[in-house]
Amino acid sequence: MYLFTCYILLFLIINLTFASFSISIYVVPSSLPLNGGEDGTLENPFSTVEQARDYLRTIIRSSFRRVALYPTYHFVKYHTLIFDERDHLTIYTTMTRDEQNRIQSSRKTNFIELDFPIISGGIHLTNWINDKGIWNIVVPASLSAVTQLFVNGHRVARSRLPATSYFTYEKGLDNRTRLAYQGFIYRENQFDNITLSSTSTTEFIIYHSYTTSRHYFSKIFPQNRTVIFSNPCLSVIGNTSIIKQSGQRFHLENVYEGMLNEEGSFYFDSITQILYYHPRKNESLQTTIIILPILETILSIIKVHQMEWNSIGIEHSAWMISKLNKSIPIDGRAAADYLDKSIVAVYLRNSSEIKFNNMEI
């Protein structure tokens, strides 16, 4: 009798454990207004990962709970998806094919079907205007720069001049002055057909002996062919004490003329907040999916114990847009000394037993 009772108890424990693990919460984004009756079931799934997270925080649990995401884009938009000590024992994964088929068709309106869920730090840009073959759109005023753009799942080029090679400047400035760190003498007629403005985010990328530095345009003096940047380099530009200074090469990024010349490239006008894109010949406004990264840190996990992420993409993190500062050096040797080291797509700290399986980041 005692042995039989033990078997019964063991059977109940196993089944309770399996039952608690097998309970799944479902997340299916919706482009339509919802009635507020979402409860995380297949019939009434949550529309955001945040809703699922907040719901699980109300449940006392001693075993894993599964959060299944529909394989489409899950845009977190302007706020980092934050997990803390309240979010232990959770598995985030993709829905099975059977679960996908049980989602009501009305919830799939205007869906972009994917092979796996993608938690995106971007926004889906629609309502582009086609102006003589160049697309343009006004982006949120909160963006001080646009450094990345994804078209049909692939990163496209930021406009560049020259498109594939380099410019060379004539020489550096007098290295006895601070200006030697902030400019150079350019070659005759070099910028005659290029739009340069101190209020733009056009960048000069200068190649040194072993590294590069990025600079924002400030002033140009045609009378002595001098260009000055708003942010200095950490060393003299065109240092004559070095025999070969990488051929004194440089190129420009985020240039309007570069976008006009190159299909599949973009240009951002920070004054008008207009983003321009030069589409490729096989791209149309009706079918092209364009995503603009706006969030630098998409996922933050702090003081979490036991969490798994399976078969999910974390994509479209932005780079250097929230704290654009045109006065600091941006040099390959010391950028980390000036930029916030916590600006990463996935931030993980003071956590244990966090597993990422078959992820795309």
Side-chain angles (χ1 to χ4, degrees):
M1 181 66 180
Y2 174 77
L3 185 60
F4 177 76
T5 303
C6 287
Y7 277 130
I8 293 295
L9 288 173
L10 181 61
F11 176 79
L12 288 172
I13 290 172
I14 292 173
N15 275 275
L16 284 171
T17 301
F18 177 77
S20 62
F21 176 79
S22 63
I23 295 175
S24 294
I25 306 299
Y26 299 98
V27 179
V28 182
S30 176
S31 59
L32 302 174
L34 300 173
N35 57 17
E38 300 158 289
D39 56 11
T41 61
L42 280 171
E43 292 73 25
N44 295 291
F46 291 124
S47 58
T48 67
V49 178
E50 290 93 335
Q51 284 180 307
R53 177 204 63 190
D54 293 345
Y55 170 74
L56 288 177
R57 285 177 175 178
T58 66
I59 299 175
I60 298 175
R61 56 193 187 276
S62 58
S63 59
F64 277 97
R65 292 296 177 97
R66 173 177 176 264
V67 179
L69 279 58
Y70 194 91
T72 186
Y73 288 111
H74 296 255
F75 295 105
V76 295
K77 297 184 179 178
Y78 298 96
H79 303 287
T80 297
L81 187 56
I82 297 175
F83 296 92
D84 56 32
E85 61 270 17
R86 296 169 292 177
D87 303 310
H88 63 288
L89 293 172
T90 312
I91 296 176
Y92 288 87
T93 187
T94 184
M95 285 186 181
T96 65
R97 180 63 63 181
D98 178 64
E99 290 170 333
Q100 295 173 40
N101 293 335
R102 293 168 61 187
I103 298 297
Q104 298 177 17
S105 58
S106 60
R107 284 297 293 265
K108 302 179 185 180
T109 304
N110 300 323
F111 255 23
I112 301 172
E113 298 280 350
L114 302 173
D115 294 330
F116 52 87
I118 291 178
I119 299 177
S120 172
I123 53 176
H124 182 198
L125 295 179
T126 57
N127 302 319
W128 288 82
I129 297 172
N130 188 344
D131 184 8
K132 299 178 181 178
I134 302 297
W135 301 353
N136 70 79
I137 191 171
V138 177
V139 301
S142 58
L143 294 179
S144 57
V146 173
T147 57
Q148 296 184 94
L149 194 68
F150 288 81
V151 177
N152 291 335
H154 299 282
R155 191 198 315 268
V156 295
R158 197 181 189 198
S159 55
R160 183 189 195 276
L161 281 178
T164 57
S165 58
Y166 307 93
F167 292 123
T168 59
Y169 56 90
E170 187 169 299
K171 61 180 179 179
L173 301 177
D174 187 345
N175 60 15
R176 294 170 297 181
T177 69
R178 291 301 304 172
L179 288 179
Y181 296 82
Q182 286 186 251
F184 57 69
I185 295 176
Y186 59 89
R187 298 187 184 279
E188 192 171 356
N189 304 320
Q190 199 160 45
F191 301 131
D192 285 358
N193 299 311
I194 300 175
T195 303
L196 295 174
S197 169
S198 60
T199 56
S200 75
T201 52
T202 296
E203 292 182 55
F204 283 68
I205 289 76
I206 297 179
Y207 294 77
H208 305 282
S209 296
Y210 301 104
T211 185
T212 61
S213 57
R214 310 180 76 91
H215 302 272
Y216 295 104
F217 172 79
S218 177
K219 299 176 183 177
I220 191 167
F221 299 94
Q223 62 271 26
N224 56 8
R225 290 186 281 114
T226 300
V227 62
I228 301 297
F229 310 127
S230 60
N231 58 322
C233 184
L234 294 178
S235 58
V236 171
I237 297 173
N239 192 336
T240 55
S241 65
I242 300 176
I243 296 175
K244 185 177 181 182
Q245 187 74 335
S246 292
Q248 298 177 326
R249 297 176 300 154
F250 72 96
H251 74 266
L252 305 180
E253 288 186 6
N254 197 45
V255 192
Y256 181 75
E257 289 79 7
M259 178 273 302
L260 291 178
N261 295 337
E262 191 71 17
E263 291 184 1
S265 68
F266 68 92
Y267 165 75
F268 175 61
D269 187 329
S270 57
I271 303 302
T272 62
Q273 292 297 118
I274 295 178
L275 176 64
Y276 297 85
Y277 176 63
H278 190 162
R280 300 179 180 91
K281 289 183 173 60
N282 62 342
E283 294 170 345
S284 69
L285 282 173
Q286 292 72 31
T287 59
T288 302
I289 300 168
I290 303 182
I291 295 177
L292 169 62
I294 61 172
L295 195 63
E296 291 174 328
T297 299
I298 300 173
L299 182 65
S300 174
I301 301 174
I302 301 175
K303 296 182 179 179
V304 177
H305 178 63
Q306 292 186 311
M307 174 181 282
E308 291 186 21
W309 294 82
N310 300 324
S311 303
I312 293 176
I314 300 175
E315 300 183 6
H316 311 135
S317 62
W319 177 68
M320 288 178 57
I321 62 171
S322 65
K323 298 179 181 179
L324 182 64
N325 187 334
K326 291 186 177 182
S327 64
I328 65 171
I330 306 177
D331 190 299
R333 293 165 294 178
D337 294 335
Y338 295 90
L339 303 175
D340 188 344
K341 297 181 180 65
S342 66
I343 297 178
V344 290
V346 178
Y347 184 69
L348 180 63
R349 179 166 62 87
N350 296 345
S351 300
S352 60
E353 297 186 44
I354 310 298
K355 298 180 181 179
F356 294 93
N357 303 310
N358 194 29
M359 296 286 291
E360 185 171 297
I361 300 177

